[in-house]
Structure formats: structure tokens, C-alpha cells
Amino acid sequence: MASSSSSPLAQVYYSQVWKYHVFISFRGEDTLKTFVDHLYTALVEKGIYTYKDDETLSPGELIGASLMKAIEESQIAVIVFSKNYANSSWCLNELACIMKCRKMKGQIVMPIFYDVNPSEVRKQKRKYGEAFANQELENKKKIKSWRQAFLDDPWGWLSAPREQIWKLQEALARHELENKTKIDSWRRALVDASNISGWEPQHIANGHESKSIKNIVDTISRRLHPINSSVD
């Protein structure tokens, strides 16, 4: 890794009480049983306390709340950008939380571009562009269906008090604004994360995955400081 990816908040970073060394954000269908599995195993074997949701999440825990809490409690966030990463709203929510922690807490962020070019992530091209186009299309369909459901009941909308119609219009406008704000935050997070110096495994050691993973793990190990890793 060519340069440090931590924020300028060094004093804040070192004053934090971290529970995990590393949080891995990844798209399961792309990398769970391949690259991420090998990376996680190498980190654990190195003694690096790592959060990976299918390994660390306890039965009965609320997934969303637990993931966001784990991100906030991790010294380093490793983001494995893969072809279908942006197809997952879970992944994008994780990413937005990670970039917020980088800004507010000085969390170290280390991106890995697995079988994707950083420019595709930064400019939201190809699969990443398609993912956002699909998100926006789904939102338009949802709003259209809500409006149509109201119009399909003529007695409902013809006899509805004007105040009720206004409330519906306000709710639709609020939903559109919230969705636009969320998508804008995802786009910004992708740009900011892809501008951080990271790894492209296919360009390390002639594409030998085991060697690229060793490079990544060694770099992570050098960036860590001791934590209280007891589990609640």
C-alpha cells in the first residue's frame, strides 16, 4: 500500500477504545467463499481480531444494528470492492458508515479492488453505474405503485379530505428526498473510498492471490495498536 489512508484525526484515533482490529465489508456472492474467506483466515492466523458478519454475528442479533456497531468499534475497515458490491444496499450502508467513522473517529480505511478497476468505483461506471441506475428505477417504480394504488380506488381519492391528499403528497415527496439523499451519500462514499490508496490483487505478484493476501495482512499488522478484544 503506497500511502497512509487514515484521517488527520490521529489523536482521536489513538484515544478510542476499539473492540476489533479489522472489519471486512464485502459482497458475499462475489467473494465470501474465495478471496474474503482466504483473507479472513490469514488475518485470524496472524492474531488479528477480525469482524466478518457470517463468522462473528451471533444468532438472534439484529443484523443492521450489529454491523454498524461493529464498524464503529473497529480500528481498520477493509472494503473489498467487487463487481456486485454496489448491488447491495447493505454494502453501501456499511460503506457510508465506514467513511463517516473515518471522518469522525480517524478510523483507518483500506480498500481492495477485487476484479474491478478503481475508476469504475470512483466514477460509478459499468457494474457500479448499472447498480445505481437500478436503485433509482426501483425507487421510481415504488412511488408510482403507491400513487397508482391511491388512484385505483376512485371513491378513496375523490372522497378523501383535501388534508389527506396533501399528506400523501408530502409523504411521497419526503420519501423521494430521503432516497435521493441516501443515494447521494452512497455515491460520495464510493468516490472518497476509491480515492484512498489500496490494493488490486490481480496486479500483485502476477495475480497470485496468496501472495497478495500476505502483503495485505502484513500491512494491516503494521498499522495496528493493542486493543481490549474481549467479547461482550
Side-chain angles (χ1 to χ4, degrees):
M1 198 161 181
S3 63
S4 168
S5 62
S6 63
S7 78
L9 306 176
Q11 290 183 343
V12 176
Y13 172 81
Y14 285 107
S15 69
Q16 295 292 324
V17 177
W18 306 103
K19 182 175 179 180
Y20 304 101
H21 289 125
V22 172
F23 179 96
I24 306 177
S25 177
F26 63 97
R27 182 72 164 119
E29 70 178 61
D30 289 342
T31 58
L32 174 60
K33 296 181 179 180
T34 53
F35 181 83
V36 167
D37 183 50
H38 302 153
L39 175 62
Y40 176 78
T41 299
L43 287 165
V44 172
E45 289 177 350
K46 189 82 169 180
I48 297 172
Y49 193 43
T50 304
Y51 188 101
K52 182 164 75 79
D53 58 12
D54 68 311
E55 295 282 350
T56 320
L57 196 63
S58 300
E61 284 190 274
L62 293 174
I63 295 175
S66 296
L67 287 176
M68 298 308 150
K69 188 170 186 289
I71 290 170
E72 293 170 357
E73 295 175 337
S74 299
Q75 283 187 48
I76 293 175
V78 173
I79 308 164
V80 183
F81 289 116
S82 56
K83 287 183 177 179
N84 294 298
Y85 185 92
N87 286 335
S88 167
S89 58
W90 281 110
C91 289
L92 293 170
N93 284 332
E94 286 177 9
L95 175 64
C97 183
I98 287 167
M99 299 313 292
K100 181 179 178 182
C101 288
R102 180 178 187 256
K103 180 179 180 181
M104 303 301 295
K105 303 177 70 172
Q107 184 180 70
I108 296 172
V109 177
M110 296 182 170
I112 298 171
F113 303 95
Y114 186 80
D115 206 22
V116 293
N117 190 293
S119 67
E120 294 176 37
V121 179
R122 186 178 306 112
K123 299 177 182 178
Q124 285 114 63
K125 299 293 185 181
R126 304 177 76 174
K127 286 282 190 179
Y128 282 73
E130 292 172 13
F132 277 95
N134 289 335
Q135 289 276 359
E136 290 164 356
L137 180 61
E138 285 301 314
N139 185 58
K140 288 177 181 177
K141 286 181 179 178
K142 187 183 295 183
I143 291 173
K144 184 178 179 180
S145 69
W146 290 347
R147 286 199 175 106
Q148 194 61 47
F150 190 68
L151 294 174
D152 284 345
D153 179 9
W155 294 109
W157 68 268
L158 285 173
S159 60
R162 184 173 297 175
E163 182 182 349
Q164 185 177 339
I165 295 174
W166 286 346
K167 284 183 178 179
L168 173 65
Q169 292 173 333
E170 287 175 358
L172 291 173
R174 185 166 57 251
H175 174 81
E176 285 187 283
L177 179 60
E178 288 172 354
N179 190 71
K180 183 180 183 303
T181 301
K182 178 174 64 178
I183 289 177
D184 286 346
S185 73
W186 290 345
R187 288 186 182 277
R188 283 195 304 273
L190 285 169
V191 171
D192 291 343
S194 61
N195 280 327
I196 298 171
S197 176
W199 293 274
E200 295 179 70
Q202 66 270 31
H203 296 153
I204 301 173
N206 292 321
H208 289 282
E209 191 169 283
S210 61
K211 292 182 179 179
S212 66
I213 286 176
K214 184 180 186 306
N215 181 298
I216 293 166
V217 172
D218 287 346
T219 302
I220 290 172
S221 181
R222 289 194 296 270
R223 299 295 302 276
L224 293 173
H225 67 88
I227 63 169
N228 176 9
S229 59
S230 60
V231 179
D232 294 338

